[in-house]
Amino acid sequence: MSKMFFQTGRKKSFSSYKLAISAAIALGITASSVAQAADTPVAIGISGWTGFAPLTLADKAGIFKKNGLDVTLKKVPQQSRHLAIASGDLQCAATTVETYLTWNAAGVAVKQIVQLDKSYGADGIAVRPGINKITDLKGKTISVDAPGTSSYFLLAWMLDKNGMSVKDVKLATLGPDAAAHAFLAGQNDAAVSYEPYLSSIRQSPDKGKILATTLDYPMVMDTLGCTPDFLNKNPKAAQALVNSYFEALAMIKSDPDKSNEIMGAAVKETGKQFAEEASYLRWQDLEQNKKFFGGEITSFSKEAATLLTQMKILRKTPDYDALFDPQFVANASVAK
C-alpha cells in the first residue's frame, strides 16, 4: 500500500500527500498497526538456567520486539519441553545439544539454529565429605533429574569416563533446583545441578563440596532450536531470533551492569549475584557459532549418540544433518 501512495515516479503535491494519509487512516493502515501486524508470534521454552539469560534480556530490553518478533518465553521442565513442542504450545526451545538427539528420535523434529552457551563449571556434581573421586560414587545415592535431561546425561557422561554407568549408583529423581535444596537439607550422598542452584552449594562448604564440573568434563552446551515447520514458514523470523541473540550479547558487552540487573531480576537475583553465576559459562558469539556449526556440533552429537545408545535411550543412529540448520548463523548480522 505504501508503494502505491508514495513511491510512484511522479512528484506528489502536498494535497495529494494529505489525501494519501487520509486514505491510509481510513483503511486502518497506520504505521503502528503495520508494525504490530509484522510482529511474528513465537513461544520459546526455557528454564531458569543462567545460559538462557540472553534470551530473557532480548525480551525485556525490547530487542525481540524491535526486530519484528512477538516472543513469549515459557518456563517448561526440560523433560517435558518436547511434549510442549509436539502439542504446538511451543515453536522453539533452548536445551542442550544431546537433548535434540532424543527429541528427534522420539518423533519431535527440532532443528538447532544458534548456539547459546558452553558451560565452564556451571554444571556439576556436589558430594558429601569423604567422597573424593568419581569412582567413590559407586553404590551412593545421587539426586539427579530424569533420563533425557542434561543433568542425567552429565552424570552418565562423567561415570562413563571413569569406567562406570548409572547402574553403579542409586538414583533419586529430582530436578536441578530440588536436587540442590535436598542436598543442602542433608538428603542423599550427592546431587547433580547447575547454576544458579549450584552456587547455593558452593556457598555452603559445611554441607559438602563440588566434586567435578564441566571444567573437568567439558560436555554441556546449549542451543536454540525450532520446529522445521516454523523455520520453513517463518525464515525471516528465525533470522531475527538469531540476530536478536547476538544483539543481546552486544548489549551485555556494552552495558554489563544494566544487562546483569535485567537478567538477574528474571531469577530474583541482584545483578552482582547473576554476574558471579554467569562467570561459570561462556555465551557464544558469532565467530564461535560459525566454528560450532562448521563441525563441532556433528562430532559432539556422534559421541553423545554413542553413549545414549549404550544407555538404551537412543534405539537407532540419527540423521545428524537433520539436527541443525546453519544458514541463520551464516547470514547473521551483529549489532555494532
Side-chain angles (χ1 to χ4, degrees):
M1 185 66 72
S2 58
K3 287 185 178 180
M4 180 177 70
F5 284 136
F6 304 118
Q7 295 183 15
T8 64
R10 300 190 304 273
K11 187 175 181 180
K12 297 292 184 181
S13 66
F14 182 67
S15 60
S16 296
Y17 178 83
K18 289 196 295 180
L19 180 62
I21 291 294
S22 299
I25 292 174
L27 291 171
I29 309 175
T30 63
S32 61
S33 66
V34 169
Q36 187 174 10
D39 290 344
T40 304
V42 53
I44 304 174
I46 62 170
S47 68
W49 160 242
T50 305
F52 299 157
L55 298 176
T56 301
L57 179 62
D59 180 35
K60 300 299 183 183
I63 296 172
F64 283 141
K65 184 72 174 177
K66 177 177 69 69
N67 291 332
L69 298 168
D70 180 14
V71 170
T72 301
L73 297 178
K74 297 185 177 183
K75 288 189 176 179
V76 181
Q78 187 182 18
Q79 65 266 31
S80 56
R81 218 166 287 161
H82 67 300
L83 300 178
I85 293 172
S87 71
D89 192 41
L90 300 175
Q91 290 76 52
C92 304
T95 192
T96 50
V97 174
E98 79 284 347
T99 303
Y100 293 92
L101 290 163
T102 61
W103 285 0
N104 281 270
V108 182
V110 185
K111 286 192 173 188
Q112 299 161 83
I113 61 173
V114 64
Q115 186 182 32
L116 303 175
D117 65 83
K118 285 185 177 180
S119 176
Y120 279 71
D123 302 71
I125 301 179
V127 297
R128 301 295 175 196
I131 299 176
N132 299 311
K133 54 186 183 296
I134 295 293
T135 51
D136 289 342
L137 290 170
K138 188 171 184 176
K140 298 294 193 293
T141 301
I142 304 174
S143 300
V144 65
D145 210 347
T149 64
S150 58
S151 294
Y152 188 92
F153 184 74
L154 178 143
L155 175 61
W157 183 280
M158 291 185 179
L159 291 173
D160 180 70
K161 295 299 182 183
N162 288 274
M164 298 170 63
S165 76
V166 290
K167 294 180 179 179
D168 294 311
V169 298
K170 299 174 184 177
L171 304 179
T173 303
L174 292 172
D177 189 0
H181 280 94
F183 186 83
L184 292 172
Q187 299 175 30
N188 303 324
D189 303 303
V192 180
S193 190
Y194 53 60
E195 295 297 346
Y197 318 117
L198 202 60
S199 276
S200 63
I201 299 175
R202 297 182 199 275
Q203 296 160 9
S204 304
D206 57 312
K207 301 292 185 180
K209 62 186 178 183
I210 308 300
L211 176 65
T213 70
T214 43
L215 284 177
D216 310 292
Y217 301 88
M219 43 67 64
V220 174
M221 56 192 87
D222 296 283
T223 57
L224 176 67
C226 302
T227 66
D229 183 63
F230 176 81
L231 296 177
N232 291 336
K233 292 179 179 177
N234 304 279
K236 291 183 179 179
Q239 189 66 63
L241 282 173
V242 173
N243 291 349
S244 295
Y245 167 74
F246 291 125
E247 192 169 336
L249 293 193
M251 180 176 173
I252 293 170
K253 185 176 181 179
S254 65
D255 197 345
D257 291 340
K258 180 179 179 180
S259 299
N260 287 327
E261 286 293 334
I262 292 173
M263 293 185 289
V267 288
K268 299 180 180 179
E269 294 179 342
T270 65
K272 183 178 180 181
Q273 288 174 317
F274 181 85
E276 172 64 24
E277 292 158 5
S279 68
Y280 293 107
L281 58 83
R282 302 289 185 273
W283 290 304
Q284 300 297 287
D285 63 21
L286 180 56
E287 289 307 311
Q288 290 165 328
N289 260 270
K290 288 180 178 179
K291 182 179 179 182
F292 176 70
F293 282 101
E296 286 183 357
I297 185 172
T298 301
S299 59
F300 175 78
S301 295
K302 288 181 177 179
E303 186 175 2
T306 298
L307 179 56
L308 290 168
T309 301
Q310 291 172 358
M311 296 163 61
K312 301 190 185 311
I313 292 177
L314 279 185
R315 301 293 181 181
K316 62 179 181 178
T317 302
D319 177 3
Y320 298 107
D321 291 337
L323 297 173
F324 62 95
D325 189 338
Q327 67 169 307
F328 302 105
V329 163
N331 297 325
S333 61
V334 180
K336 300 297 184 181

